[in-house]
Amino acid sequence: MDLKDLPKAYDAAAVEAGIFKQWESSGAFDPDGLEKLDPRYKEADPYCIVLPPPNRTGTLHLGHAKMLAVEDLLIRFYRMLGRKTYWVPGTDHAALATQVKVEQLLIKEGHKDPRKELGREKFLEKVKEFAQQSRDTIVSQCKAMGSSMDWKREKYTLDEERNRAVNEVFKMMFEDGLIERGYRVVNWDPVFQTTLSDDEVEHKETQAELVTFKYDKDFPIEISTTRPETKFGDTAVAVHPDDERYKKFIGQTFKANFCGKEISVKVVADPVVDPAFGTGALGVTPAHSMIDAELAERHQLPMVQVIGTDGKMMAEAGAGFSGLTIKEARQKIVETLEVNGCLIKKETVPQSLLIAQRGESPVEQLPLRQWFVRVNKPFKLRQDTLGRWQKGDEATLKDLMSFAVESKQIRILPESFEKIYFHWVNNLRDWCISRQIWFGHQIPVWYNGEKIEVGNESPGEGWERDPDTLDTWFSSGLWTFSTLGWPDKKAWGNNRGYHPTNVLETGYDILFFWVARMILMSTYVLGEIPFRDVYLHGLVRDEKGRKMSKSLGNVLDPLELIPKYGTDAVRLSLVMGTAPGMDQKLSEEKIKDFRNFTNKLWNISRYIMMTTAGVTKEQADEQWTKGPITLSDKWILSRLHEVQTNVTQLITEYQFSQAGELLRDFTWGDFADWYLEISKIEKNKDAILWHVLSRLLPMWHPFMPFVTEHIWSLIGDPRQLVVSPWPSSAHIRDEESEKEFAVIRNLITDIRRLRAEQGIEPASFVKINLIVDKDTARLIKENDSVVKQLARIETIDLVDSIPEGWPTAVSGKIVIGLNVASGLDIGKEKAKIEKEISGLKPYVESTTAKLSDKEFISKAPEKVVQGMQEKLDEAKMKIEALEKRLISLK
RNA sequence: GGACGUUUAGCUCAGUUGGUUAGAGCGUUCGAUUCACAUUCGAAAGGUCGCAGGUUCGAAUCCUGCAACGUCCACCA
């Protein structure tokens, strides 16, 4: 292509698809394919990230886009650094969420009760069909984002191999007594007809009617409740042990007739009861409240269920109420109490109602026979674990989860989330893993009368499989190692080096659901952590800070933004201007700004290609060895060195936004606005222009892969940028040149400002007088043409004091400078000038280089010196300690 | 009720262990324009870093208290 034909603006839409195809077919995304592209990957250390598998419930949103942008940045960075990178792609069947979604769709299509009408098999087919479509969309979206993962290695939480892992782990846990069947109070969703784990229910603020009453006229204690309909199931009244009002009743059992039903109520004392709330006495309903169930366990109270799974009153509620809905029963009870004279008062109180996470329907708590993972039960470890326990030692799952993070084997970033994690782990209750839905891993348990067998295959005639499926997080918990082949010995053996994975990058909103469960599963099954770092990114919100949701209509769709602004711009807008773990507001405006930047980079490159046409990169590198000539050369190379060092460090520390800002400031501020402009004045800069550009492009690649790869191909490097080495610095920092260049740069800026202030014609060249010291004078002379061209100056007179008769000698346009570093008395000189030249304000030179630390100390009072000395000593000790640790690690 | 987070320019946000004159982008104002890029260039204005105390030679940064907003957890019988 003729370089003159390069389009003026970068056209992302025209090149992205082709570039992606080329990457993919070259094998750059395949950890084994890398070796063919470059032998340096043969003996390379692995670097592995498993993709948090997107739910097959629809399409990807900007939160996913952010996840992909950050993970791809890491993967591309480490790939260029020479690590054998493996980004494991896959999707999640998201059991309940997907089934609910499909059910809603089917209802829209006219089905009244899709599950009943279609039956298990046909219904599941519908779900699978939907999940497949969703998967296809997700894959194409990931590709559009430029994500460098190898879809030939795609995994699915519900495929054959993952099913093997699930069954294997279930069996292990069953044998270790960690998975048990139990009749316990669980969260029940009457609409979706399934149990829910504690993490799948939410609280919603509502108003409720608090009713104060007595069970019957003769009952000695008044109680309050917002759930009168559950009171048929009361088996106790709990009071605080020190409550004088009720002390005399403690231990007694009363018979009562509650709205026609005989109940037996024991008065128990328990410190959880708040004597100040209501009447200070609490009606205990063990079957319909987890708190009451725990209370009942302590006091060995019987459990009476009165609400069924259909959300209606059961026979236990008595003849007049059986079959009524909760609402109907509640009203009727209050009426009955009133008629019987047992109602004391009614008041409205705020209440948080338990609702399902994926719906608006209230969740009931009722006792059911379900499968649970016991998190507090000690078991014998199957292998040495986390370097703390040996095979055969006893521990609980909770112990493992705590220790993995406590011991810093897993680092959670930002650190503040560690506290939240510990709090969650400490308060964790047994995990109900069985769901009464069809879409998911069916529980590998077979029943034959009282006999139970665990396995995927039927043990024989007369055995029936548990119809329930597993909580989706059970299979996602295995994700880090089930995707690497476990439990298949050969596949797992081949991938062993990738586990523990290096980083788990995800939104903080699934810290508990997923991250914690992966830690549980990995430490239990393998005795090792699933990942070293957990990097939590914030949520993407709209420009007003609201969550993006379809009902609000504020959803920005990545697939609409990409054709409009280019993938690189979308990615930058998700990575820049954000801090780890902090929510981010995103507007289209911001994406547009980054589109402008991709275009800037394009035009910088285009300019270099056009003006230095004919120079190959090799020639440039050869020329380069002759070394820099001018101050601006020394300066840009020193700056490049700084940027290279800092960007590399910042990315390894997950400070992507800062790394990007540094790069942008250098690219736009230093390189384009100054060095490129100077190159038009001082010639013979081709070599250095190429040199800087050929290092800028690789550094930008992880942030904006498409435009950089495109330019890279145009500048004639036969190797793809995606597998090119991360640039290492060939220079050292040259502080002296940086300081000197700053003097020139500030001088030019100051002159520009003064010109504007004095209303000087922008195009005109002027004569100026400068009062400067010797060093500055030398610098100005050495960079004469640069200063003159960029500041539009015809002649500069350098003087060390104000000449006699001046400025009348020079008519018209005058600029005056005072240099602090010259040692002149600023105040005196300023006054002098103001007196002599009326109407012109002298400016105080700002070109004086900032004091170095040494100079600062020498000028500072003694105490400051002391303080800084102490700090220096501290730093030295830290360095020593680090060195010691390094040696011991070696 | 418990915990955590946020509060910095008109807006969106950076600010790593306390350190020289607190930064960026957008927006605003003024100016430029065939010469890589109007998706551009130059310049300016704009901040008592939420409030009140404290520690320190020195605080946006550390400590205490308060306020507003937000998030999570628990619970309201």
Side-chain angles (χ1 to χ4, degrees):
Chain A
M1 188 201 243
D2 189 343
L3 290 173
K4 300 273 186 276
D5 295 338
L6 291 174
K8 277 188 157 190
Y10 169 62
D11 185 0
V15 296
E16 285 183 359
I19 291 171
F20 192 86
K21 252 186 206 152
Q22 187 203 320
W23 282 332
E24 215 178 16
S25 58
S26 74
F29 300 168
D30 172 2
D32 297 324
L34 279 174
E35 293 179 11
K36 283 175 209 144
L37 288 165
D38 192 327
R40 74 186 168 126
Y41 290 109
K42 249 176 204 157
E43 299 298 319
D45 282 340
Y47 183 88
C48 183
I49 297 178
V50 290
L51 175 75
N55 288 351
R56 288 192 176 187
T57 45
T59 58
L60 300 188
H61 51 69
L62 274 173
H64 292 112
K66 174 157 186 156
M67 165 183 92
L68 292 168
V70 172
E71 288 174 29
D72 195 46
L73 193 158
L74 282 167
I75 287 286
R76 286 178 189 269
F77 172 71
Y78 281 103
R79 190 188 291 121
M80 294 173 86
L81 268 183
R83 302 281 285 273
K84 190 173 170 180
T85 46
Y86 182 15
W87 188 6
V88 187
T91 52
D92 195 323
H93 68 288
L96 179 61
T98 311
Q99 175 163 331
V100 166
K101 179 106 195 189
V102 173
E103 232 171 310
Q104 283 165 351
L105 284 174
L106 288 170
I107 288 168
K108 255 192 195 165
E109 282 171 19
H111 291 272
K112 279 209 175 115
D113 189 342
R115 276 196 269 172
K116 263 191 192 152
E117 286 166 36
L118 295 170
R120 185 162 186 151
E121 236 164 76
K122 275 201 175 155
F123 180 83
L124 271 178
E125 241 163 65
K126 289 272 182 197
V127 179
K128 280 178 190 164
E129 197 184 301
F130 174 87
Q132 183 60 34
Q133 277 173 16
S134 174
R135 176 261 168 208
D136 294 346
T137 312
I138 289 167
V139 174
S140 70
Q141 282 180 304
C142 286
K143 289 184 177 183
M145 279 297 291
S147 314
S148 57
M149 51 198 146
D150 182 8
W151 283 97
K152 289 197 298 295
R153 295 168 177 255
E154 177 179 359
K155 322 288 182 205
Y156 179 37
T157 52
L158 197 57
D159 61 19
E160 271 306 307
E161 287 170 44
R162 260 43 66 188
N163 186 246
R164 275 185 64 191
V166 163
N167 290 338
E168 185 72 23
V169 171
F170 190 98
K171 199 172 176 190
M172 284 167 72
M173 287 186 144
F174 182 81
E175 282 166 2
D176 288 343
L178 290 173
I179 286 184
E180 278 181 12
R181 210 171 179 216
Y183 183 72
R184 304 198 207 172
V185 176
V186 294
N187 302 303
W188 177 260
D189 187 328
V191 175
F192 299 131
Q193 290 286 302
T194 182
T195 54
L196 297 171
S197 70
D198 291 345
D199 300 302
E200 287 167 308
V201 295
E202 286 174 353
H203 299 272
K204 191 182 160 190
E205 283 303 319
T206 52
Q207 295 291 315
E209 189 174 61
L210 182 69
V211 182
T212 304
F213 69 101
K214 293 194 284 191
Y215 291 111
D216 66 21
K217 260 194 174 147
D218 306 322
F219 201 78
I221 302 173
E222 295 171 5
I223 61 166
S224 301
T225 184
T226 55
R227 300 287 313 268
E229 70 280 6
T230 65
K231 298 287 117 181
F232 293 113
D234 280 17
T235 52
V237 167
V239 298
H240 195 273
D242 302 332
D243 197 325
E244 293 299 334
R245 292 171 292 179
Y246 306 117
K247 247 183 179 164
K248 54 185 179 245
F249 302 119
I250 293 171
Q252 294 183 46
T253 300
F254 297 89
K255 298 274 176 203
N257 184 299
F258 177 66
C259 297
K261 194 208 167 189
E262 292 297 328
I263 56 172
S264 168
V265 178
K266 188 180 178 188
V267 180
V268 297
D270 200 288
V272 300
V273 180
D274 176 6
F277 188 92
T279 61
L282 159 66
V284 182
T285 323
H288 295 291
S289 154
M290 288 204 195
I291 298 299
D292 289 7
E294 280 169 14
L295 221 144
E297 208 179 304
R298 282 199 289 278
H299 300 279
Q300 281 147 17
L301 302 167
M303 192 183 265
V304 178
Q305 184 180 353
V306 296
I307 297 172
T309 52
D310 56 0
K312 289 183 178 162
M313 303 308 292
M314 296 166 65
E316 279 76 3
F321 295 90
S322 174
L324 295 185
T325 64
I326 288 167
K327 214 173 152 191
E328 291 163 350
R330 186 177 300 173
Q331 203 179 347
K332 190 167 173 187
I333 289 166
V334 176
E335 280 163 15
T336 312
L337 288 171
E338 198 156 16
V339 171
N340 294 349
C342 298
L343 185 71
I344 315 295
K345 63 175 172 183
K346 293 192 281 189
E347 55 198 313
T348 304
V349 294
Q351 187 200 29
S352 71
L353 189 68
L354 220 53
I355 58 160
Q357 198 177 37
R358 312 185 184 280
E360 289 297 299
S361 52
V363 166
E364 289 300 323
Q365 300 196 322
L366 44 84
L368 285 173
R369 204 166 164 79
Q370 298 291 327
W371 289 97
F372 294 88
V373 170
R374 306 281 313 266
V375 293
N376 288 311
K377 185 179 172 184
F379 66 101
K380 279 210 170 83
L381 293 164
R382 289 172 172 255
Q383 68 259 308
D384 294 357
T385 298
L386 295 176
R388 171 175 171 175
W389 293 280
Q390 300 198 326
K391 184 178 174 178
D393 285 355
E394 287 216 338
T396 65
L397 290 173
K398 224 183 229 188
D399 293 337
L400 303 188
M401 292 171 86
S402 292
F403 186 71
V405 178
E406 233 168 60
S407 62
K408 300 279 173 196
Q409 293 180 55
I410 296 175
R411 203 161 55 118
I412 299 182
L413 300 163
E415 227 172 301
S416 57
F417 282 97
E418 278 187 9
K419 271 187 203 166
I420 301 176
Y421 173 82
F422 286 129
H423 184 259
W424 184 82
V425 171
N426 290 336
N427 293 301
L428 191 59
R429 285 191 277 197
D430 286 348
W431 171 20
C432 177
I433 52 170
S434 45
R435 297 286 180 279
Q436 290 65 52
I437 58 172
W438 293 338
F439 188 51
H441 292 281
Q442 195 169 352
I443 290 177
V445 173
W446 301 79
Y447 307 106
N448 189 348
E450 287 300 298
K451 287 182 285 185
I452 288 186
E453 283 283 337
V454 173
N456 206 26
E457 304 294 327
S458 169
E461 274 299 301
W463 289 82
E464 257 186 62
R465 186 162 185 170
D466 194 313
D468 288 356
T469 51
L470 284 166
D471 180 8
T472 189
W473 300 106
F474 193 93
S475 52
S476 342
L478 315 175
W479 193 240
T480 60
F481 53 94
S482 71
T483 52
L484 294 175
W486 191 93
D488 183 90
K489 277 205 176 108
K490 201 179 153 201
W492 176 236
N494 285 341
N495 287 323
R496 196 65 184 87
Y498 292 114
H499 205 275
T501 60
N502 291 78
V503 57
L504 189 277
E505 193 277 347
T506 188
Y508 64 75
D509 50 333
I510 54 172
L511 177 65
F512 305 140
F513 298 116
W514 191 43
V515 179
R517 261 136 194 167
M518 282 194 286
I519 296 173
L520 183 157
M521 289 297 190
S522 182
T523 51
Y524 166 70
V525 175
L526 304 172
E528 73 180 33
I529 51 170
F531 29 70
R532 297 197 168 89
D533 292 344
V534 175
Y535 174 83
L536 298 167
H537 67 243
L539 272 36
V540 182
R541 296 168 179 277
D542 77 353
E543 67 260 80
K544 286 175 190 155
R546 299 172 303 182
K547 258 190 176 172
M548 289 194 186
S549 76
K550 275 188 185 152
S551 55
L552 278 172
N554 58 352
V555 180
L556 290 175
D557 183 352
L559 276 190
E560 280 174 31
L561 296 169
I562 285 172
K564 217 162 155 189
Y565 301 104
T567 302
D568 293 328
V570 174
R571 288 175 57 137
L572 278 175
S573 69
L574 291 166
V575 170
M576 304 279 275
T578 67
M582 300 293 292
D583 288 356
Q584 170 193 2
K585 289 174 198 165
L586 185 70
S587 59
E588 246 182 283
E589 197 61 30
K590 189 173 170 186
I591 303 172
K592 208 171 115 193
D593 295 339
F594 284 109
R595 191 268 320 269
N596 294 358
F597 178 69
T598 59
N599 191 56
K600 184 72 185 178
L601 185 64
W602 165 253
N603 270 296
I604 291 169
S605 312
R606 188 164 77 102
Y607 174 77
I608 295 175
M609 283 187 268
M610 279 162 56
T611 54
T612 63
V615 182
T616 66
K617 264 177 63 192
E618 285 70 29
Q619 285 171 328
D621 280 345
E622 203 177 300
Q623 268 189 44
W624 154 245
T625 55
K626 290 173 189 162
I629 311 144
T630 66
L631 175 61
S632 59
D633 297 338
K634 289 188 213 162
W635 163 74
I636 199 74
L637 292 171
S638 177
R639 286 285 298 135
L640 177 66
H641 165 79
E642 274 300 285
V643 169
Q644 283 182 304
T645 314
N646 291 333
V647 165
T648 310
Q649 196 187 338
L650 286 168
I651 295 179
T652 55
E653 288 167 358
Y654 301 96
Q655 304 281 346
F656 312 120
S657 182
Q658 281 190 64
E661 260 169 61
L662 200 63
L663 267 174
R664 188 193 47 198
D665 291 348
F666 176 73
T667 308
W668 204 327
D670 293 339
F671 190 52
D673 290 345
W674 284 94
Y675 191 73
L676 230 56
E677 291 307 316
I678 291 171
S679 81
K680 294 174 185 172
I681 301 160
E682 295 177 342
K683 300 294 174 188
N684 300 324
K685 291 200 180 307
D686 292 5
I688 294 173
L689 286 171
W690 275 106
H691 180 81
V692 176
L693 181 65
S694 67
R695 271 135 191 96
L696 264 187
L697 292 172
M699 282 196 282
W700 272 118
H701 184 72
F703 293 87
M704 26 203 258
F706 287 104
V707 67
T708 49
E709 185 76 76
H710 182 55
I711 298 169
W712 194 253
S713 72
L714 290 173
I715 65 178
D717 195 305
R719 179 162 51 179
Q720 294 184 96
L721 184 53
V722 65
V723 287
S724 295
W726 184 256
S728 60
S729 179
H731 317 280
I732 50 159
R733 180 141 191 220
D734 181 356
E735 275 185 67
E736 192 56 32
S737 297
E738 280 189 37
K739 224 189 255 179
E740 288 185 357
F741 188 80
V743 171
I744 296 298
R745 182 171 167 163
N746 289 341
L747 176 71
I748 292 166
T749 305
D750 284 335
I751 292 172
R752 281 171 176 169
R753 194 185 70 234
L754 283 170
R755 290 177 63 114
E757 274 174 12
Q758 297 180 13
I760 297 171
E761 199 45 41
S764 67
F765 281 75
V766 296
K767 297 176 178 177
I768 66 164
N769 283 7
L770 286 176
I771 307 168
V772 292
D773 62 82
K774 264 189 208 156
D775 282 340
T776 312
R778 174 182 58 80
L779 279 176
I780 292 171
K781 273 180 198 152
E782 281 172 10
N783 295 278
D784 187 61
S785 55
V786 168
V787 174
K788 281 183 178 165
Q789 287 292 321
L790 293 182
R792 294 193 166 261
I793 296 166
E794 195 182 321
T795 57
I796 306 172
D797 285 331
L798 297 173
V799 290
D800 47 18
S801 66
I802 296 170
E804 284 302 317
W806 187 84
T808 43
V810 186
S811 64
K813 323 296 184 186
I814 304 156
V815 182
I816 301 160
L818 273 181
N819 193 323
V820 176
S822 66
L824 293 172
D825 184 330
I826 309 164
K828 215 169 118 189
E829 289 296 326
K830 218 173 151 181
K832 196 170 149 195
I833 293 167
E834 269 169 343
K835 201 176 137 198
E836 290 189 19
I837 316 158
S838 57
L840 280 184
K841 276 190 180 168
Y843 79 100
V844 175
E845 219 309 88
S846 57
T847 57
T848 310
K850 287 185 174 178
L851 296 176
S852 70
D853 289 348
K854 226 194 225 168
E855 284 166 322
F856 179 67
I857 289 175
S858 74
K859 288 188 182 176
E862 206 174 321
K863 270 200 174 175
V864 179
V865 180
Q866 258 177 32
M868 294 195 77
Q869 190 60 47
E870 277 165 26
K871 196 165 281 178
L872 204 72
D873 293 343
E874 238 173 73
K876 271 185 191 162
M877 275 166 64
K878 265 187 200 165
I879 290 169
E880 270 172 38
L882 275 171
E883 276 173 351
K884 266 185 199 164
R885 232 183 98 195
L886 216 84
I887 291 165
S888 72
L889 277 172
K890 277 178 186 169

